[in-house]
Amino acid sequence: MPTQVLEPDVAGGPAPAPAASRSPIEHIAIICSKGTLDMAYPGLILANAARMSGIDATLFFTFWGLDIITKKTLDRLHVATVGNPSMHMPTMLGGFPGMETLATFMMKREMAKLDIPGVPEMIETLHDSGAHLYGCRMAMDMFKRTKEDLVPQVEDVISAMDFFDKAAGAQVLFI
Amino acid sequence: MPTQVLEPDVAGGPAPAPAASRSPIEHIAIICSKGTLDMAYPGLILANAARMSGIDATLFFTFWGLDIITKKTLDRLHVATVGNPSMHMPTMLGGFPGMETLATFMMKREMAKLDIPGVPEMIETLHDSGAHLYGCRMAMDMFKRTKEDLVPQVEDVISAMDFFDKAAGAQVLFI
Amino acid sequence: MPTQVLEPDVAGGPAPAPAASRSPIEHIAIICSKGTLDMAYPGLILANAARMSGIDATLFFTFWGLDIITKKTLDRLHVATVGNPSMHMPTMLGGFPGMETLATFMMKREMAKLDIPGVPEMIETLHDSGAHLYGCRMAMDMFKRTKEDLVPQVEDVISAMDFFDKAAGAQVLFI
């Protein structure tokens, strides 16, 4: 049963208005839910780019994303080598011991070449630039972590309802 | 070639306006595209927190996310143990039979300890609180499912274009 | 320690305003960060649905998402068979050589049955309908790709800060 959604001949519609006439983004609120190195970086990089553009940035770390702000883990995030065909690596090979470590090492080296700091330094930079970092209370309870387990740049541990309050006026992203 | 994007010394910019002066969030529209237990919960929990704050909530289930509203699968969602280094488990071990079942059991137990209901109960609660649940027509066609395969709390099966209509005034999240 | 976030008896709140009274979506800006076929399609399909509804569409390809606009890879994206319990396939089996190829073949066949074009055709359609496609400069540097490696429909290679400028007035989605 064809869906009529994507037929090229009906694609089109009016030309979009030029971006200049639209309201600029004033605030970005990012929910960081993943703890892999390759999914930690996008949230931190987007928040940093926002602050450099004078855009407010709020980060809410939940589920596996808690690892990004946990003292014991933030410097040990790994790149996933299985379940990611973009690694261009046979699935079986990706599962071998050492492959994750190798892929992680390579990504860190490439990031360093581009003058992009490691995760701990990026957390510091974000905090110093006025971004707001929060841990998710429910995820903290689920993973049995306390405020003392988190890096000092985390302002508070809050609920999802609190997060919505703090995300007023923001574009909300889920990573 | 450095990118100039993330150098700490240029980070900064004007201090963000206090959140209080920004428009509060009035509507959250969540696209649920994944069928793992650990990615089903965030969408359901955020929608629930929204409704508890008087924020409208619209959920659009597409691709693997259809499993969250399919009768045969919603109570059998699993935590992925491979491709997720945050499990803190050797990749090879994560692939062994039984590891997914164990991780799923453990997450469900922790959620229950926190008084967080299972997926079927959360779907009911969301519906009862006035959230709107929709299936994606294209995904339904792709996976050969009919409206009868879905839980009764799903209002309708709609296209992505319909979803954009229903997401008027909303912050749109993709999970 | 219960979190008070999700107890069914406190869920509720005022009934949401009808969607008709809310501002319609005028612009969708999608950050495509993943290079699997099943995560490439949602971004392309949502952007296409947006253009068909007269909504402006901006796509920013970063990290693994660069594969979607890279000449050598856009026609070879794969479905991940491990790390995705929604495949309803034993984890060990998903890792066997050939399973990814099989799952990819099956998804492409189902998409074709629904008259949904392949990724290269969708990129062309999007471009022809007025959507804007951009590569992420940092990801290009990291993966050592040049503008010549990208499909001609890509307008430019820009920074995350540039992306925020171009996303003015948009709902921003991260995929």
Side-chain angles (χ1 to χ4, degrees):
Chain A
M1 181 170 31
T3 57
Q4 305 288 339
V5 171
L6 281 156
E7 298 185 350
D9 52 354
V10 285
S21 70
R22 302 278 172 77
S23 329
I25 293 177
E26 296 185 352
H27 183 185
I28 290 280
I30 306 178
I31 302 170
C32 300
S33 74
K34 302 196 179 65
T36 59
L37 185 65
D38 50 319
M39 284 299 114
Y41 264 124
L44 301 174
I45 288 170
L46 286 169
N48 190 290
R51 290 306 302 130
M52 287 173 67
S53 295
I55 297 170
D56 194 2
T58 300
L59 293 102
F60 182 62
F61 297 88
T62 187
F63 276 78
W64 318 112
L66 266 192
D67 279 1
I68 305 172
I69 52 166
T70 298
K71 284 176 197 164
K72 281 193 187 164
T73 50
L74 87 159
D75 206 14
R76 296 174 195 179
L77 305 181
H78 276 236
V79 174
T81 46
V82 293
N84 181 4
S86 296
M87 293 298 296
H88 304 297
M89 186 188 284
T91 306
M92 290 298 270
L93 187 61
F96 275 110
M99 289 313 288
E100 249 184 43
T101 307
L102 178 63
T104 302
F105 169 77
M106 287 172 66
M107 175 168 274
K108 284 186 174 175
R109 193 182 57 181
E110 291 307 317
M111 297 304 253
K113 276 190 203 165
L114 301 175
D115 288 342
I116 294 167
V119 170
E121 293 75 26
M122 290 200 64
I123 294 277
E124 276 184 49
T125 302
L126 278 173
H127 177 260
D128 293 350
S129 74
H132 302 281
L133 284 70
Y134 300 102
C136 167
R137 189 189 303 152
M138 194 202 72
M140 296 284 286
D141 289 348
M142 184 167 61
F143 293 123
K144 299 184 173 53
R145 292 190 194 163
T146 65
K147 184 84 167 62
E148 285 66 44
D149 295 324
L150 306 183
V151 295
Q153 288 83 11
V154 176
E155 280 180 39
D156 205 354
V157 173
I158 64 176
S159 71
M161 290 174 74
D162 296 333
F163 167 72
F164 282 134
D165 274 351
K166 292 182 186 295
Q171 280 299 315
V172 185
L173 272 70
F174 185 96
I175 296 186
Chain B
M1 182 171 29
T3 57
Q4 305 290 338
V5 172
L6 281 155
E7 297 185 349
D9 51 353
V10 284
S21 70
R22 302 279 172 75
S23 330
I25 293 177
E26 296 185 352
H27 183 185
I28 290 279
I30 306 177
I31 302 171
C32 300
S33 75
K34 303 196 178 65
T36 58
L37 186 65
D38 50 321
M39 283 300 115
Y41 265 125
L44 301 174
I45 288 170
L46 286 168
N48 190 290
R51 290 306 302 129
M52 286 172 68
S53 295
I55 296 170
D56 195 1
T58 300
L59 293 103
F60 183 61
F61 297 87
T62 187
F63 276 78
W64 318 112
L66 266 192
D67 280 1
I68 305 172
I69 51 166
T70 297
K71 285 177 197 165
K72 280 192 187 164
T73 49
L74 87 159
D75 205 16
R76 297 175 195 178
L77 305 181
H78 275 236
V79 175
T81 47
V82 293
N84 181 4
S86 297
M87 293 299 296
H88 303 298
M89 187 189 284
T91 306
M92 290 299 270
L93 186 61
F96 275 109
M99 289 313 288
E100 249 184 44
T101 307
L102 178 63
T104 302
F105 169 77
M106 286 172 66
M107 175 167 275
K108 284 186 174 175
R109 193 182 57 181
E110 291 307 316
M111 296 305 253
K113 278 190 203 166
L114 300 175
D115 287 343
I116 295 166
V119 171
E121 293 75 28
M122 290 200 65
I123 295 277
E124 276 183 49
T125 302
L126 279 173
H127 176 261
D128 293 350
S129 74
H132 302 281
L133 284 71
Y134 301 102
C136 167
R137 189 188 304 153
M138 194 201 73
M140 295 284 287
D141 289 349
M142 184 167 62
F143 292 123
K144 298 184 175 52
R145 292 190 194 163
T146 64
K147 184 84 167 62
E148 285 65 43
D149 294 325
L150 306 182
V151 295
Q153 289 82 11
V154 176
E155 279 180 38
D156 206 353
V157 173
I158 64 176
S159 72
M161 290 174 73
D162 296 333
F163 167 72
F164 283 135
D165 274 351
K166 293 183 186 295
Q171 280 299 314
V172 185
L173 273 69
F174 185 96
I175 295 186
Chain C
M1 181 171 32
T3 57
Q4 304 289 339
V5 172
L6 282 156
E7 297 185 348
D9 51 353
V10 284
S21 70
R22 302 278 172 75
S23 330
I25 293 177
E26 296 185 353
H27 183 185
I28 290 280
I30 306 177
I31 303 171
C32 301
S33 75
K34 303 197 178 65
T36 58
L37 185 66
D38 49 322
M39 283 299 114
Y41 265 125
L44 301 175
I45 288 170
L46 286 169
N48 189 289
R51 291 305 303 129
M52 286 173 67
S53 295
I55 296 170
D56 194 2
T58 300
L59 293 103
F60 183 61
F61 298 88
T62 187
F63 277 77
W64 319 111
L66 266 191
D67 279 2
I68 305 173
I69 52 166
T70 298
K71 285 177 198 165
K72 280 192 187 165
T73 49
L74 86 160
D75 205 16
R76 298 175 194 179
L77 305 181
H78 275 237
V79 175
T81 47
V82 292
N84 181 4
S86 297
M87 294 298 296
H88 303 297
M89 186 189 284
T91 306
M92 290 298 270
L93 186 61
F96 275 110
M99 289 313 288
E100 248 184 45
T101 307
L102 178 62
T104 302
F105 169 77
M106 286 173 68
M107 175 168 274
K108 284 186 174 176
R109 192 182 56 181
E110 292 305 318
M111 296 305 252
K113 277 189 204 166
L114 301 175
D115 287 342
I116 295 167
V119 170
E121 292 76 26
M122 290 200 65
I123 295 277
E124 276 183 50
T125 302
L126 278 173
H127 177 261
D128 293 349
S129 74
H132 302 281
L133 283 71
Y134 300 102
C136 167
R137 189 190 302 152
M138 194 201 72
M140 295 285 287
D141 290 348
M142 184 167 62
F143 293 124
K144 300 184 174 53
R145 292 189 195 164
T146 65
K147 183 84 168 63
E148 285 65 43
D149 294 324
L150 305 183
V151 294
Q153 288 83 10
V154 175
E155 280 180 40
D156 207 353
V157 173
I158 64 176
S159 71
M161 290 173 74
D162 296 332
F163 166 72
F164 283 134
D165 274 351
K166 294 184 186 293
Q171 280 299 313
V172 185
L173 273 70
F174 185 97
I175 295 186

